Amino acid sequence: MDFGDSSLQKAYKYSLLYFLLFSFLLLTSSILLFEQKIGFSVGEVLRYYNGNEAQFIPSKSSAGILKIILPHIFGFGIFFMVLLHFLLFTKLRSSKKLKFLIFTTFIVAFLELFSPFLMIAGVTFFASVKLFSFVLLELLMLCLFWLLVKAIVYE
Amino acid sequence: MRFTLIKDLKKEQGMKNILQFLLFFILLYLTANLLVKAFSFGLTLDSVALTLFGSEENFIDPLSQASFLEYIHTEIFFIMMVSFTLSAVYIRVATKKLINAPLVSLLMLSGLSSILMLGLAYFVTPKAIVFYLGSFYLWNFLLAYMTLYGLWRLFFAKSL
C-alpha cells in the first residue's frame, strides 16, 4: 500500500487501521439496530414499514422514511467514498475487481436506502430487496475491510 | 484540469485556507458537541447515569435500547469521521514525525474506548461510566490539541 512520502506511511497506516476498527463498530451497531427495530425476516420488514392493524403498528409514511434516510444518504456516500478510495493505493488500483466493487457497493447501498418507498407503495417484493441489500451491503463492507487489512499487512 | 500532489502547503494559499477553515470547523464541532452533551446526555457521572438508567424518584424514564443504539450508531460515525479527517491533516502538517503515529493512535483509541465503555455501561455495568467519561474527555482534549497545533502550523510555520 503506497501513501507516497515514506515518513508518513506509518502514521497513515495506523490511521487507516483505526478507521477500519471504527467502521467495524459502525457495522456492528447497524446490525444490532436493524435487529432491534426491524428484524431479519421478510415478514418483520413488511410489518415495520407497512404496519400491522392487529398489533396496532402504524405504517410508515414517505416523509417518515425520508427523515430516516436523509442522514444516511450523505453518510453512505461519504463513508463508501472514503473506504473505496483507499483501494486506489493498493494493487487493485486499475483492476476490474475494483470497478466491480465500486459499482456493486453504491448500487446495493442505493437499493438499501430506497426500497422502503416501493414497499409502502404496495410492491411487497421490495421487502426481500431491502433485506437482501442490507445483508449484502454488510458483507461487502466486510470484504472491503479484509482487502484493506490485507493490503496494509502484506503489501 | 490536472491533479498534482502539493509538496509545500505554504506556497499553496488556497489549500492552506481550506485546511485552516476545516480545522476551525472541527473546533466549532468540538465546542458544540460539548455543549449539546452538557445539556442533553450529561458530562458527569450522575448526569450520564440518569440519562442511561432514569430515576424512579424523579419520574425520568431510562433510555430505551433502540434509542441507545441509535445514539451510539451516530456517535461512532461522527467520532470516526472527525478523528480520521483531523489525523490526515495533522500528519501532513506536524513536524514531530516520531510522535505522529502514537498521538494518532491515542486519539483513535480514546474515541474507540469512549464508544465501547458507553456500551459496556449500558449493557453490562454502570461502573464503566467512569471509563467512558475518562475516554471522552481524553478524546476531546487530544482533538483540541491536534486542531490548535494544526492551526498554529498552518498560520505560522515557515514550511509545510
Side-chain angles (χ1 to χ4, degrees):
Chain A
M1 188 168 240
D2 186 19
F3 284 116
D5 189 344
S6 60
S7 64
L8 303 178
Q9 291 266 347
K10 198 177 165 190
Y12 279 129
K13 281 184 180 176
Y14 270 107
S15 186
L16 176 55
L17 269 177
Y18 288 115
F19 180 81
L20 292 176
L21 273 174
F22 273 109
S23 304
F24 188 74
L25 281 181
L26 197 69
L27 181 140
T28 311
S29 66
S30 70
I31 293 171
L32 289 173
L33 255 177
F34 199 95
E35 201 273 329
Q36 172 82 27
K37 297 192 87 170
I38 304 175
F40 283 102
S41 72
V42 176
E44 284 172 310
V45 174
L46 269 176
R47 189 182 59 185
Y48 178 78
Y49 286 103
N50 289 356
N52 184 314
E53 278 186 23
Q55 294 174 320
F56 304 105
I57 300 171
S59 63
K60 294 271 179 291
S61 65
S62 304
I65 293 172
L66 202 60
K67 202 177 158 190
I68 297 169
I69 71 164
L70 179 66
H72 285 98
I73 298 172
F74 170 74
F76 277 19
I78 195 87
F79 176 72
F80 288 120
M81 183 277 283
V82 172
L83 203 58
L84 286 161
H85 101 281
F86 283 120
L87 288 174
L88 295 174
F89 300 103
T90 67
K91 285 177 180 167
L92 289 172
R93 188 187 175 99
S94 46
S95 66
K96 282 185 180 167
K97 194 175 172 184
L98 176 63
K99 203 170 181 182
F100 173 77
L101 277 172
I102 293 170
F103 276 88
T104 315
T105 306
F106 280 106
I107 290 169
V108 171
F110 176 84
L111 287 174
E112 208 279 328
L113 285 172
F114 289 94
S115 50
F117 285 109
L118 288 151
M119 230 185 296
I120 61 165
V123 194
T124 51
F125 164 71
F126 277 88
S128 309
V129 174
K130 168 81 183 173
L131 196 58
F132 179 71
S133 56
F134 179 81
V135 174
L136 187 58
L137 196 62
E138 306 298 290
L139 291 174
L140 276 167
M141 277 166 73
L142 284 174
C143 172
L144 294 174
F145 297 166
W146 166 242
L147 287 172
L148 287 168
V149 170
K150 208 171 80 171
I152 292 171
V153 177
Y154 297 112
E155 284 180 23
Chain B
M1 190 180 228
R2 188 166 162 266
F3 295 101
T4 53
L5 283 171
I6 295 169
K7 293 218 167 150
D8 190 357
L9 270 174
K10 203 73 193 165
K11 291 175 189 160
E12 295 287 338
Q13 196 58 39
M15 194 61 205
K16 213 177 82 175
N17 292 150
I18 290 169
L19 291 180
Q20 283 164 341
F21 274 110
L22 171 70
L23 293 184
F24 174 66
F25 270 71
I26 289 180
L27 267 188
L28 288 180
Y29 169 80
L30 180 85
T31 316
N33 186 39
L34 281 170
L35 288 171
V36 168
K37 291 276 188 312
F39 293 132
S40 59
F41 197 79
L43 286 176
T44 61
L45 283 175
D46 293 338
S47 57
V48 172
L50 193 69
T51 309
L52 292 180
F53 310 113
S55 159
E56 281 188 15
E57 289 169 20
N58 301 312
F59 304 104
I60 297 170
D61 288 328
L63 200 63
S64 70
Q65 201 165 316
S67 303
F68 177 78
L69 285 172
E70 270 174 16
Y71 175 79
I72 209 154
H73 186 65
T74 319
E75 282 290 293
I76 295 170
F77 181 76
F78 278 105
I79 292 178
M80 174 178 79
M81 282 321 219
V82 172
S83 305
F84 189 68
T85 314
L86 178 65
S87 299
V89 179
Y90 179 82
I91 291 166
R92 179 67 183 78
V93 300
T95 45
K96 294 165 189 163
K97 307 284 184 204
L98 275 176
I99 66 157
N100 277 356
L103 204 62
V104 165
S105 287
L106 200 57
L107 176 80
M108 298 286 196
L109 283 174
S110 57
L112 276 170
S113 167
S114 74
I115 292 161
L116 292 172
M117 288 302 131
L118 190 60
L120 201 66
Y122 186 79
F123 290 111
V124 184
T125 168
K127 287 176 187 162
I129 294 176
V130 180
F131 300 106
Y132 158 69
L133 283 174
S135 318
F136 177 79
Y137 283 120
L138 179 63
W139 183 75
N140 277 276
F141 172 76
L142 290 170
L143 198 73
Y145 167 75
M146 288 166 78
T147 311
L148 291 170
Y149 179 77
L151 275 173
W152 179 75
R153 289 278 303 156
L154 283 165
F155 275 109
F156 303 111
K158 291 202 171 101
S159 71
L160 283 165

